[in-house]
Amino acid sequence: MVGAGIVGAACAYYLTRAGIDVVVVERGAVASGTTGAGEGNVLVSDKGPGPELDLAARSAGLWRELAEEVGGFEYEPKGGLVVAGEDGARAALEEFAAGQRAAGVEADVVPAGDLRGYEPHLSDGHAGGVFYPGDAQVHPMLAAARLLRASGAATRFGTAVTGLIRHGDRVAGVRTPGGDIAADAVVNAAGTWSGDVARLAGVDLPVLPRRGFVLVTEPLPPLVRHKVYTAAYVTDVASDSADLETSAVVEGTPSGTVLIGASRERVGFDRSMPVAVLERLAAQAVALFPALADARVIRAYRGFRPYCPDHLPVIGPDPRAPGLWHAAGHEGAGIGLAPATADLLTALLTGRDPVPGTGLDPAPFRPERFAEEAA
Amino acid sequence: MRDDPPSREFDVVVIGGGPAGMAAAGAAARRGARVALVDAGPAPGGQYFRRPAAALARAAGRAAGPAVHDAGAWRGLVAGLAGVEWLGGHRVWAVEAGFAVHCLRGERERVTVAGRRLVIASGAHERVAPFPGWDLPGVMTAGGAQALLKGQLVVPPGPVIVAGTGPFLLPVGAGLAAAGADVRGVFEANALHALSRHATAVPPAKVAEAARYAYALARRGVPYRGRTAVIAAHGDGELSAVTLARVDADWRAVPGTERRVPCATLAVGHGFTPQAELALALGCATRTDPDGAEVVAVDAGMRTSVPGVFAAGEVTGIGGARLSMTEGEIAGLGAAHAYIPDRFLRRRARLARFAAALRIAYPVRDGWREGLRPDTVVCRCEEVTAAAIGEAVELGAGDARSAKLLSRAGMGWCQGRMCGYAVARLAGGPSPAGRPVAHPIRLGDLAAGASAAPGPDRAERAASRTAEGPGAGA
């Protein structure tokens, strides 16, 4: 397993439970990449009907199970509230929700007058909203660390994969400065950096970084009960624009801090933090919750989401390099999608038919789909 | 909110009004540059030249001049500021390439200062290795005790004990004793004469200064002991006693040497950590000093790896006021595109050798970790114990950043300024120094910038790359 982010940790957990002997190789520490820069979103609300929603819905159920089986990562099934500013947006949101309901997602239309019942500190003037009881939140770093610990898998932290062992065409393990590790399968769970790992096998995996910032306030008395965001978030997530998009997602955490995400920009691995982006996130958060104006921001952090051109993750064996498997490219939804990804990968790797077991069709996530499109 | 011009542009913006920043601002201004000197404090001087406010000094019947030391240097620095725009009470909360220095004046008012070149002279904060009871009221940092005395004219209640490591303990102990505090001892955890092994690097003036402090302590009967540490502080709600012990070369307490002594104020310090977050936010390269501190890397002209950004003083490595002033002078001249005389470079080299010798002579040894109990609080803001950090490390946190994310150590109000060093040593990696929001800012004040008029053209260009799309709040 290359990578000890949430996806690598979840894969290690499901694979070891299936009786597979796993070694996790991570160049940094546990959750030191994008997992450690996220908010811990487990969302069904932001996904329209299709393969990603199927994966998310299955994952939401698995997170509930993992909270019981493993625990210790602040799982909060708090639900999400999406609000629409005006009637046009409200109509679009309700139509979006109707499609989700048809796909089996719980989505309750909330009239404008009832919004305060969900969020007493919400600003005035919203046209309405939709409440999603299935949205949840976890502490992403603790989740990765606890799943990895519970897996019992061997770990090699601070160990970079510098090459792959090949037996003819076959990928038969990894090379590291600390020595070679032979394996029947190498799973690329390197997130935003998974394209680099694929390149070691001579295959192209079009995973690129999409920068995002999160603002963190000082600890506050409970002010925000659910995950709250505006309907604009959904269009931003699905957008193909390289420009900056911001649509605040506001949520409280068990430690009292309020997290405010999320900006999206395609600027490569540029680590600068433009104040203009922070200002816009702040303005949108205050527009949703005016009481937040007096809260002080004590920290901001950045992350680089791993995105694929079609916004779907890559899960499964790579026919171009037998022995190499991928579980990567989850963009901003890696925390939410990790358990179902791991479950699907485990079904495929152990030769189980995934459809009866997981209810998921692996076809939309095939690694070779991009090469086929190009051909 | 932004009343007078929301932003002003200078040739050189110097961040930090201590010895290095004052010297840099003066040197650049003397060469004709338009210079702004930005500092959070009400008056220039920084921690080293901290003085009481004029009114407070008058009330106490004292001159509001500098502290006793370095009066000549102080007069020179003050004279140098004649042509400099002094922007006191400005807390820098972010910097951007270009360069835009984002400040808060007072608590609320946002001011952006633009400059073609930057000198970062942001100084250092004190480092403390935790021990059981160090979070009791009555325990303060050595620098904190000195600041109370110099800035507020407050003499802390006795009995007072000064402990930790480094030459800084001497002026703190001597200053407190001279002000009438009941100082019962100055305890150095390293060997007292550690520096003599590097005698060739020690300037005679420094030897004389140390001797003066030691004499001042001896004259008042205050013992100055080496290889002695405070291994625990005790008290019910506030400090009433400490346990002293002999320590070995790795700072492990020698069994049988513990003694408990009454104590109402413990001033403790284990050296300093450079405050490098603004330089890091700009992407300046860093290097690790022999004492483990992450410092801003500079060349002989005090240039960082980022074009147009200079750094001077403690942020480039802990070295004291003399070295800071020399570095400031060099950085200021460089930022003004002026010639730098060789004698400055030679003086810096000489003082830097001495600073390096000090860092080697007064390291923090890892034996302090063995004195922690599971319930010893390491991060005071978030009340994270040594046991919780141990658990995070066991969960796979192999560095300070991961330990912080898993345990919340360093995620509170001070953002790890106090505990960052300790957490890094417990997790076994470098301190996480990156901190893009360098000072807390109200969300409402941050949000106000989204609709306000664009900033200076440089800042505007930096922002316009990203500020397209729907307006804020849309």
Side-chain angles (χ1 to χ4, degrees):
Chain A
M1 185 66 54
V2 183
I6 192 67
V7 174
C11 287
Y13 181 80
Y14 281 89
L15 285 168
T16 51
R17 274 206 325 188
I20 311 269
D21 192 12
V22 179
V23 182
V24 179
V25 186
E26 160 63 51
R27 69 175 172 184
V30 66
S32 56
T34 309
T35 297
E39 301 159 274
N41 283 332
V42 179
L43 297 186
V44 291
S45 55
D46 64 337
K47 295 165 184 72
E52 198 191 6
L53 180 59
D54 297 342
L55 200 61
R58 166 107 181 117
S59 232
L62 295 177
W63 270 120
R64 253 192 310 278
E65 291 176 21
L66 291 170
E68 303 246 317
E69 286 170 25
V70 180
F73 47 76
E74 300 180 3
Y75 174 72
E76 287 187 287
K78 53 165 65 169
L81 181 68
V82 185
V83 297
E86 32 78 37
D87 277 331
R90 184 184 54 79
L93 174 64
E94 286 178 8
E95 190 187 328
F96 185 71
Q100 292 170 311
R101 262 195 305 277
V105 172
E106 273 187 85
D108 309 328
V109 170
V110 182
D114 292 354
L115 287 172
R116 285 266 171 75
Y118 287 85
E119 289 292 344
H121 297 279
L122 193 70
S123 52
D124 291 323
H126 298 284
V130 174
F131 181 69
Y132 295 86
D135 282 357
Q137 183 176 337
V138 299
H139 184 309
M141 293 73 97
L142 279 175
R146 297 279 179 201
L147 288 181
L148 194 55
R149 162 57 49 90
S151 76
T155 51
R156 307 274 173 86
F157 294 121
T159 303
V161 169
T162 53
L164 298 173
I165 305 170
R166 303 301 284 260
H167 287 165
D169 265 2
R170 255 198 101 65
V171 173
V174 298
R175 300 194 187 284
T176 79
D180 292 355
I181 305 170
D184 297 319
V186 172
V187 181
N188 174 14
T192 312
W193 300 270
S194 54
D196 297 341
V197 175
R199 213 165 295 121
L200 294 175
V203 300
D204 181 48
L205 199 68
V207 176
L208 290 168
R210 197 175 182 187
R211 186 171 71 179
F213 298 116
V214 175
L215 300 177
V216 186
T217 70
E218 62 192 320
L220 303 170
L223 187 81
V224 182
R225 295 179 177 179
H226 309 92
K227 287 189 175 274
V228 182
Y229 60 92
T230 63
Y233 178 80
V234 178
T235 49
D236 276 4
V237 171
S239 162
D240 284 321
S241 166
D243 292 338
L244 169 69
E245 287 147 354
T246 57
S247 41
V249 177
V250 184
E251 65 203 300
T253 68
S255 59
T257 56
V258 171
L259 305 183
I260 299 160
S263 59
R264 289 164 192 275
E265 293 166 277
R266 294 181 192 168
V267 290
F269 283 105
D270 179 350
R271 297 184 63 77
S272 66
M273 191 174 281
V275 165
V277 180
L278 307 186
E279 288 173 341
R280 279 177 50 171
L281 282 174
Q284 292 172 352
V286 173
L288 278 172
F289 292 96
L292 281 177
D294 281 323
R296 279 173 292 192
V297 175
I298 58 170
R299 183 165 74 244
Y301 55 87
R302 77 177 72 65
F304 296 97
R305 306 176 185 87
Y307 82 89
C308 289
D310 59 3
H311 301 286
L312 290 178
V314 182
I315 306 164
D318 195 324
R320 301 166 296 177
L324 178 66
W325 297 66
H326 302 288
H330 295 74
E331 202 162 334
I335 310 300
L337 301 179
T341 296
D343 191 29
L344 177 59
L345 182 94
T346 302
L348 293 168
L349 210 143
T350 54
R352 276 191 289 139
D353 182 350
V355 179
T358 68
L360 292 168
D361 175 7
F365 310 115
R366 286 174 309 134
E368 67 273 27
R369 65 186 192 266
F370 308 104
E372 285 165 1
E373 257 170 46
Chain B
M1 184 173 323
R2 293 172 169 183
D3 37 35
D4 56 276
S7 64
R8 308 163 56 188
E9 183 155 346
F10 295 86
D11 297 322
V12 179
V13 178
V14 180
I15 301 176
M22 289 178 79
R30 275 199 306 281
R31 292 303 184 282
R34 288 183 307 133
V35 181
L37 178 57
V38 180
D39 192 88
Q47 300 301 326
Y48 185 70
F49 289 115
R50 182 186 284 274
R51 297 160 300 150
L56 187 59
R58 269 196 307 278
R62 287 184 26 179
V68 286
H69 55 204
D70 274 356
W74 170 250
R75 277 192 298 273
L77 290 174
V78 170
L81 295 188
V84 171
E85 181 89 13
W86 161 250
L87 299 175
H90 283 57
R91 270 176 232 277
V92 179
W93 66 271
V95 283
E96 285 186 282
F99 297 94
V101 179
H102 298 275
C103 310
L104 286 174
R105 180 157 65 191
E107 284 303 308
R108 298 278 315 267
E109 185 190 357
R110 282 185 60 183
V111 176
T112 302
V113 184
R116 295 174 192 282
R117 287 171 301 282
L118 282 187
V119 178
I120 297 178
S122 42
H125 53 264
E126 237 175 333
R127 191 162 71 180
V128 178
F131 48 88
W134 76 305
D135 50 335
L136 279 169
V139 181
M140 59 181 83
T141 64
Q146 193 188 49
L148 272 178
L149 186 64
K150 279 158 77 171
Q152 312 289 324
L153 305 178
V154 170
V155 177
V160 176
I161 282 174
V162 179
T165 190
F168 180 56
L169 300 180
L170 275 174
V172 171
L176 288 169
D182 174 18
V183 181
R184 299 287 177 91
V186 176
F187 300 102
E188 162 66 56
N190 286 301
L192 276 196
H193 303 292
L195 196 58
S196 58
R197 272 181 273 126
H198 308 272
T200 52
V202 183
K206 282 285 160 191
V207 176
E209 187 185 329
R212 212 165 46 240
Y213 288 130
Y215 174 71
L217 288 173
R219 197 161 53 88
R220 292 190 165 81
V222 178
Y224 177 41
R225 301 264 182 276
R227 286 281 164 79
T228 308
V230 169
I231 59 167
H234 316 280
D236 185 13
E238 65 179 342
L239 182 67
S240 59
V242 298
T243 299
L244 291 164
R246 293 275 298 163
V247 292
D248 66 15
D250 196 36
W251 289 22
R252 279 185 299 255
V254 177
T257 64
E258 301 89 348
R259 61 192 170 101
R260 193 172 164 134
V261 297
C263 178
T265 301
L266 172 63
V268 63
H270 297 108
F272 297 86
T273 299
Q275 209 159 315
E277 56 244 16
L278 296 174
L280 283 164
L282 288 167
C284 297
T286 58
R287 61 180 179 79
T288 306
D289 252 0
D291 63 348
E294 195 80 351
V295 306
V296 180
V298 288
D299 67 9
M302 307 314 293
R303 285 179 288 257
T304 71
S305 64
V306 176
V309 180
F310 297 73
E314 309 293 40
V315 77
T316 70
I318 302 305
R322 286 273 150 193
L323 177 59
S324 292
M325 287 184 257
T326 302
E327 291 188 347
E329 192 110 16
I330 295 170
L333 291 174
H337 293 320
Y339 170 73
I340 300 166
D342 267 353
R343 65 171 199 283
F344 286 9
L345 302 178
R346 284 197 303 273
R347 192 198 306 155
R348 174 176 179 237
R350 193 176 69 241
L351 291 168
R353 273 198 304 279
F354 171 57
L358 277 182
R359 286 195 295 265
I360 293 168
Y362 297 103
V364 178
R365 298 293 185 192
D366 280 340
W368 64 266
R369 297 186 296 193
E370 291 171 29
L372 297 182
R373 290 194 298 251
D375 65 347
T376 303
V377 169
V378 175
C379 164
R380 306 207 277 202
C381 300
E382 291 284 325
E383 295 179 354
V384 180
T385 61
I389 291 169
E391 194 189 355
V393 171
E394 206 210 328
L395 272 172
D399 56 36
R401 178 175 177 270
S402 305
K404 164 179 142 176
L405 293 175
L406 290 173
S407 70
R408 301 200 57 78
M411 295 186 94
W413 188 248
C414 90
Q415 287 290 293
R417 286 200 171 122
M418 199 67 188
C419 67
Y421 173 79
V423 175
R425 291 307 304 154
L426 291 170
S431 314
R435 190 182 175 203
V437 175
H439 180 80
I441 175 171
R442 277 177 77 256
L443 259 177
D445 296 336
L446 183 56
S451 49
D457 65 341
R458 276 157 191 284
E460 187 184 350
R461 274 204 303 283
S464 68
R465 285 199 302 277
T466 51
E468 282 137 27

